[in-house]
């Protein structure tokens, strides 16, 4: 709000214009006060405010308004998936450029594919379906919307970069809901690109009442929900043992008629902050012999008494049959630590003789056969499963959750372990 001293130095029109400006209601993620990057990538969920940000950014470029611009820009490119998308979303949509313009409202000239402001600024519109249309024109600013959906993403983006050659520092903003397409992944990895992430929840005040609760209830925690609501880039690793589709098929609402339950523990070598996590996963066996994943209670950088306490509490909460503990790292100490927490808990020590990949491979085959279910979403575990390849995880860390999962399912499926291949691997 303006103070009295400020109001006294401004005309009534100036006061009105300032009161109507977007900074009065914008979130800090939409309104960085210092950074003016050459490329600004905004990745967000549905309804997170990406389109409004792009339209306000263009408005500020034309008017030379801080913090987005220090001078007026006159030659702007608007690039969308199709020309219809540019018109219906970026220009005339509820959060489009014409809708949010508070003064000096531009004129849309569809036949010439452009927006024109009275000040002389012109924004030309382009479609990702026609990269060659970007050959020739030149710009000092550009807004690219929904880049992850573009038809010819690389060719179109490359042609735009050659056209951004006017002024002292041409600039572009890219607003998109994420998908694991190569161009988006390259931009996310580029240190010269400023990346802002926004979740749908952050813009709840501007969305229809009940929308977020309804959509979270239906898609929360799913791959689609994490992508479309949380703005995460979710992808499968080509050589991973598990895929997102495989895990989606394994999902059930609840576990019923469980005959046995175990809690598996994959302890770390040490309790240092840089050490691996302690994988703790609970699995049950249902009435038709399918393994059902019930919980992932994995903890990181915990002292032995801490992870042992977590495993014992999960054991009691589920009324499990036993705790299965891998002893490769600590030998008999692993069982001893668990018994210091509760000496009455039955502990079965197991020891790995084959690599993590070879032990996990037959368990992944059970998923493919529909013999393993997930009673709920276990995001961290599923991320690790879909990133587990022959050389481990892509970040180089130990697949502790996967290891615990493998031990638990292996313990509950003796009829499958009678097959020579599976018995050897476990």
């Amino acid at each position: 709000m303006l103070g009295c001293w400020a109001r006294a130095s401004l005309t009534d029109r100036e006061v009105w214009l300032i009161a109507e400006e977007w900074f009065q209601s914008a979130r800090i993620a939409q309104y960085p006060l210092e950074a003016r990057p050459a490329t600004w990538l905004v990745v967000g969920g549905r309804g997170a405010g990406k389109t409004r940000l792009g339209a306000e950014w263009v408005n500020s470029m034309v008017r030379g308004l801080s913090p987005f611009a220090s001078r007026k820009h006159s030659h702007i490119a608007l690039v969308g998936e199709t020309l219809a998308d540019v018109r219906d979303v970026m220009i005339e949509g509820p959060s489009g450029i014409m809708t949010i313009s508070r003064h000096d409202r531009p004129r849309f000239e569809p036949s010439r594919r452009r927006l024109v402001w009275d000040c002389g600024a012109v924004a030309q519109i382009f479609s990702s379906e026609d990269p060659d249309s970007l050959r020739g024109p030149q710009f000092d600013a550009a807004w690219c919307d929904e880049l992850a959906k573009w038809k010819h993403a690389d060719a179109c983006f490359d042609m735009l970069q050659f056209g951004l050659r006017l002024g002292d520092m041409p600039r572009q903003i890219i607003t998109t809901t994420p998908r694991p397409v190569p161009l988006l992944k390259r931009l996310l990895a580029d240190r010269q690109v400023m990346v802002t992430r926004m979740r749908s929840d952050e813009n709840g005040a501007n969305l229809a009442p009940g929308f977020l609760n309804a959509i979270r209830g239906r898609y929360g925690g799913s791959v689609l929900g994490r992508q479309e609501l949380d703005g995460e880039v979710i992808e499968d690793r080509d050589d991973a043992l598990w895929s997102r589709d495989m895990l989606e098929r394994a999902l059930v609402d609840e576990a019923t008629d469980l005959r046995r339950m175990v809690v598996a523990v994959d302890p770390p070598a040490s309790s240092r902050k840089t050490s691996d996590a302690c994988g703790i996963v609970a699995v049950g066996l249902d009435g038709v012999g399918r393994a059902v994943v019930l919980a992932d209670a994995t903890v990181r950088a915990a002292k032995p008494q801490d992870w042992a306490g977590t495993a014992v509490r999960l054991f009691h909460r589920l009324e499990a049959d036993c705790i299965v503990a891998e002893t490769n790292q600590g030998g008999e100490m692993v069982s001893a630590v668990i018994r210091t927490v509760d000496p009455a808990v039955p502990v079965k020590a197991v020891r790995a003789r084959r690599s993590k990949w070879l032990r996990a491979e037959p368990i992944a085959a059970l998923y493919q056969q529909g013999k393993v279910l997930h009673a709920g979403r276990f995001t961290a575990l599923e991320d690790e499963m879909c990133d587990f390849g022959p050389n481990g995880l892509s970040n180089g860390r130990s697949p502790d959750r996967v290891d615990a999962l493998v031990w638990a399912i292996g313990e509950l499926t003796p009829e499958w372990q009678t097959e020579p291949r599976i018995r050897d691997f476990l």
Side-chain angles (χ1 to χ4, degrees), residues 220-242:
S222 69
V223 172
L224 186 63
R226 292 173 63 191
Q227 174 179 286
E228 301 295 322
L229 297 175
D230 298 330
E232 295 185 39
V233 178
I234 309 294
E235 61 179 319
D236 282 341
R237 178 173 165 178
D238 291 338
D239 59 352
L241 279 177
W242 289 270

Side-chain angles (χ1 to χ4, degrees), residues 329-386:
Q329 297 291 352
E332 291 301 318
M333 181 274 293
V334 175
S335 300
V337 170
I338 295 174
R339 292 194 173 101
T340 62
V341 177
D342 187 341
V345 171
V347 180
K348 180 175 181 178
V350 291
R351 191 171 186 84
R353 295 180 176 84
R354 306 295 296 271
S355 71
K356 295 178 185 293
W357 170 269
L358 290 178
R359 283 185 280 121
E361 194 174 26
I363 302 302
L366 298 180
Y367 275 83
Q368 293 176 330
Q369 298 163 13
K371 295 178 180 178
V372 184
L373 305 176
H374 282 207
R377 300 281 180 184
F378 307 106
T379 302
L381 172 61
E382 292 169 9
D383 285 349
E384 195 170 281
M385 294 169 73
C386 294

Side-chain angles (χ1 to χ4, degrees), residues 7-87:
R7 286 179 178 272
S9 63
L10 298 172
T11 66
D12 289 343
R13 175 169 173 76
E14 288 171 334
V15 170
W16 176 81
L17 290 176
I18 292 174
E20 290 294 310
E21 279 306 317
W22 186 49
F23 72 83
Q24 301 276 12
S25 59
R27 307 193 314 274
I28 191 62
Q30 297 170 305
Y31 213 81
L33 298 179
E34 296 181 2
R36 289 180 183 167
T39 301
W40 183 12
L41 174 60
V42 181
V43 180
R46 300 284 190 93
K50 304 183 301 297
T51 302
R52 179 63 186 269
L53 172 55
E56 292 288 355
W57 185 88
V58 170
N59 180 55
S60 294
M61 290 293 111
V62 171
R63 297 166 62 194
L65 296 180
S66 180
F68 295 140
S70 58
R71 65 172 181 84
K72 293 182 179 181
H73 293 65
S74 301
H75 300 83
I76 302 168
L78 304 177
V79 190
E81 181 185 3
T82 66
L83 292 177
D85 289 319
V86 179
R87 180 193 65 230

Side-chain angles (χ1 to χ4, degrees), residues 201-275:
D201 293 357
E202 298 168 11
N203 199 39
N206 296 311
L207 302 176
F211 165 76
L212 286 174
N213 287 338
I215 212 75
R216 281 286 178 196
R218 182 174 299 174
Y219 300 108
S222 69
V223 172
L224 186 63
R226 292 173 63 191
Q227 174 179 286
E228 301 295 322
L229 297 175
D230 298 330
E232 295 185 39
V233 178
I234 309 294
E235 61 179 319
D236 282 341
R237 178 173 165 178
D238 291 338
D239 59 352
L241 279 177
W242 289 270
S243 69
R244 301 285 177 183
D245 286 342
M246 189 188 303
L247 297 183
E248 288 294 323
R249 292 194 298 271
L251 180 66
V252 293
D253 292 332
E254 59 181 351
T256 58
D257 188 25
L258 295 179
R259 298 183 301 178
R260 290 189 62 204
M261 282 181 281
V262 299
V263 174
V265 177
D266 177 47
S270 73
S271 58
R272 295 193 301 269
K273 291 183 177 180
T274 56
S275 66

